[in-house]
Amino acid sequence: MSRTATVKGHLPFGPYRTWYRRTGELPGAGPAVVALHGGPGSTHDYLVGLAALADHGYPVIHYDQLGNGGSTHLPDAPPGFWTPRLFLDELDNLLDRLGLRDGYVLVGQSWGGMLGAAHAAARPPGLRGLVIANAPASYPLWLKEMAVLRGRLPPGVDDVLRAHEEAGTTDSREYFEAMMVFYNRHVCRLSPWPQEFQATFMEIYNDPTVYYAMNGPSEFHVIGSLRDWGVEDRVADIEVPTLLISGRHDEATPETVRPYFELIPDVRWEIFENSSHTPHLEEPERFTQVLLDHLKECG
């Protein structure tokens, strides 16, 4: 955790509010780092370790995307309210209100990586660099690979999962326990899970509005509005230096990540051999060094 002072608050976003946390002073010696968390419908908690980058001269901005954590919750919003454009607009609003347009780097994890790629593809002038961590290039690719990973689970586990998915009983204890077999293999292989990851996990279950509407009941059963969405058609427009990160045991398998590597002009791909979906927690020292090396390249 960074020793640098932090500031927390809320930013107006239309009639709503976005919770944010700034670690380090603005402007800093280097560009500000804006962390885009996963989900959709997750929170910043599991990425809080990125705040340590402020000790190296990079101010860090965390925020909770609309609908979760400290931001405005909208449990009665219709599923169609939750769109990628909504969250891209929220990101633009945050950049403007915090005065970050002169120089910033996006670090997007999982869904946040897809969001960051979509933002970067529009070539915003202040963007200095991009990190796409553990993010598929599209949900159709993700679903194809989920079938492969589910087929490799211990005997009987996928049968339990499918039975509940077909019956619509994914809120059952049996489904949760079978789901955890997958999560402990391909989402976070640490035991026990770090406190900050547990906090994020519980936040989703405390208010699953966004996650259920856009994703579905689990990482591998995507039946929400994102099931056909992806960024493959736009990432070739990304002009900034891009760091691509994935774990050897990641639910975001190499096949889901490869389009970024093949299509983004200036890209480097780092695979973390002892990690799944959360290398920043599973291999934190190497992750920090790889990230710092990339930030130096971004200026």
Side-chain angles (χ1 to χ4, degrees), residues 31-34 103-108 116 119-120 124-132 238-243 266 294-295 297-299:
V33 173
V34 180
Y104 62 99
V105 173
L106 294 182
V107 177
H119 176 89
L127 183 65
R128 303 256 190 99
L130 175 66
V131 179
I132 301 173
I238 296 174
E239 294 182 324
V240 295
T242 300
L243 171 63
D266 184 1
H294 183 64
L295 289 172
E297 180 186 351
C298 298

Side-chain angles (χ1 to χ4, degrees), residues 115-145:
L115 196 65
H119 176 89
R123 299 178 179 176
L127 183 65
R128 303 256 190 99
L130 175 66
V131 179
I132 301 173
N134 319 100
S138 76
Y139 279 93
L141 271 177
W142 175 269
L143 286 167
K144 182 179 177 182
E145 288 297 289

Side-chain angles (χ1 to χ4, degrees), residues 26 32 48 62 64-65 81 129 142 164 172 178 192 201 206 251 253 265:
L26 291 172
V48 73
H62 288 90
D64 287 336
Q65 295 164 23
F81 175 82
W142 175 269
H164 285 288
S172 70
F201 193 77
N206 287 338
E251 60 178 348
T253 67

Side-chain angles (χ1 to χ4, degrees), residues 58-132:
Y58 301 98
V60 179
I61 309 297
H62 288 90
Y63 73 103
D64 287 336
Q65 295 164 23
L66 188 66
N68 290 88
S71 296
T72 302
H73 287 235
L74 296 160
D76 298 323
F81 175 82
W82 306 105
T83 65
R85 172 46 54 193
L86 172 72
F87 293 105
L88 288 168
D89 290 346
E90 183 183 31
L91 172 58
D92 281 333
N93 181 72
L94 177 132
L95 295 172
D96 290 336
R97 290 187 176 276
L98 292 182
L100 303 178
R101 291 290 190 177
D102 289 339
Y104 62 99
V105 173
L106 294 182
V107 177
Q109 201 276 335
S110 196
W111 144 260
M114 301 179 78
L115 196 65
H119 176 89
R123 299 178 179 176
L127 183 65
R128 303 256 190 99
L130 175 66
V131 179
I132 301 173

